[in-house]
Amino acid sequence: MIGLENNLISKYINQITSSKLLAFVGFIIILQKLYKVIRLFLNLCVLGNYNKNLQVYNNKDKSYKYYALVTGCTDGIGLEYTKQLASKGYNVILLSRTQEKLETLSNELKQEYPEGNFPIYVLNCKNVDEEETAKLANFVKNYPLTVLINNVGLSHSIPTPFLETTQEEWRSIIDINCIATLAITQSVIPSIKKTVASDPKLRGLILTMGSFGALFPSPLLATYSGSKAFLQNWSMAMNRELLKYKIDTNLVLSYLVTSKMSKIRRSSLLIPTPKQFVRSVFTNLNNHGGALERYATSTPYWSHAIYHFLVQELFGCYNGMVNLINFKFHLSIRERALKKKAKQI
Ligand SMILES: NC(=O)c1ccc[n+]([C@@H]2O[C@H](COP(=O)([O-])OP(=O)(O)OC[C@H]3O[C@@H](n4cnc5c(N)ncnc54)[C@H](OP(=O)(O)O)[C@@H]3O)[C@@H](O)[C@H]2O)c1
């Protein structure tokens, strides 16, 4: 009789202990999720400061003392980076491939900001060899640079299986997104280092455009996806190396933005204009936005940030189902593009 009672009591205690343990684990998980939601809210709604962030690399607003260099500056997101930096007192070195476009942009900026300087540098990022790298390093050493915006990028003309991607296309993507970005960055860092060392109040910035195409491995955009994933790790790894020179690195993650590359003209809740997007980048410089799980990285636009956060927290960015949905999304874009092409013939 006593043995039976003891058994029942110990069963009861076990039940209470295991349900308490379960409740405790549940409580910790809820607390952790709540902490992440609060961090997302703080990143997106409280910590951002457009004017203050842009002053860090310029020392004084509207001074036109220091320089930024923007690659792929004549269109889309790069053009908007250039305009917003110029409006905040940065001289801008304009780097892209088309001389006439660069000259027109430089003249327009000079008219709008007569105190500023907007030198041009013509470079086809498809062919950046050692000689070109040395030439650029020689050019930029004459300017007190504090900011480099690695914006230039190329994606596939339409979503295409890797097996059918032409060698010309995948080589161009790697040459522009990876080789040129590394060569330009290596040419520019010594100038930024020197400028920052000359003024104790200054910091330097190397900002690189990443993509949701790499956040979620993207079928039918395999080379683009891989090239941007390369930039993600390269930028994060370099971050630690450059902090001792007071140079920040920031990898910016973006879902679609209206531009020639995305072939989307109308903005929507999930697809901002370059102007809205770049404003969010500068507002959230060195904040995570929705990229809470990775350092020196930001998903700055609010709806992209919520999208990134939800996929990461609910499934994980490398989840197979997320990958299947991504595949179907790109397949439908490919089918529409092929139909459009067929009509044009
Ligand atoms: N748009 C999006 O939805 C989206 C999403 C995620 C990430 N991104 C990234 O954001 C960055 C900018 O994209 P975007 O949509 O603004 O691109 P975009 O509208 O196609 O503009 C590209 C810019 O790069 C220049 N460029 C192109 N090829 C070049 C080359 N071989 N050498 C030198 N300059 C060259 C272009 O010059 P020209 O004027 O002479 O053509 C133009 O100024 C890219 O890195 C892209 O991967 C874009």
Side-chain angles (χ1 to χ4, degrees), residues 72-77 96-98 101 123-126 151-153 176 209-211 224 228 254-257 259-262:
C73 61
T74 49
D75 220 324
I77 298 171
S96 199
R97 65 180 159 184
T98 320
K101 280 190 180 181
L123 181 68
N124 186 347
C125 293
K126 236 172 108 171
N151 166 76
V152 71
I176 294 174
M209 279 303 297
S211 171
Y224 178 72
K228 292 289 182 179
S254 170
Y255 182 61
L256 293 167
V257 175
S259 80
K260 238 172 35 189
M261 178 190 276
S262 67

Side-chain angles (χ1 to χ4, degrees), residues 39-40 43-45 208-212 215-216 232 250-256 270 277 280-310 312 317:
R39 270 184 77 202
L40 178 72
N43 268 269
L44 288 181
C45 305
T208 302
M209 279 303 297
S211 171
F212 270 36
L215 178 66
F216 312 124
Q232 168 82 68
N250 202 340
L251 192 286
V252 173
L253 290 169
S254 170
Y255 182 61
L256 293 167
L270 257 183
F277 179 75
S280 80
V281 173
F282 287 141
T283 302
N284 293 303
L285 268 185
N286 303 316
N287 285 343
H288 293 278
L292 296 181
E293 82 286 6
R294 44 188 88 190
Y295 70 94
T297 303
S298 172
T299 303
Y301 191 68
W302 70 271
S303 59
H304 298 178
I306 292 170
Y307 182 9
H308 179 163
F309 178 79
L310 286 178
Q312 174 65 23
C317 293

Side-chain angles (χ1 to χ4, degrees), residues 14-34:
N14 271 346
Q15 256 177 14
I16 292 181
T17 321
S18 54
S19 58
K20 270 193 174 163
L21 194 69
L22 261 176
F24 179 70
V25 171
F27 176 70
I28 294 291
I29 290 172
I30 290 169
L31 213 61
Q32 194 201 26
K33 296 281 176 206
L34 200 67

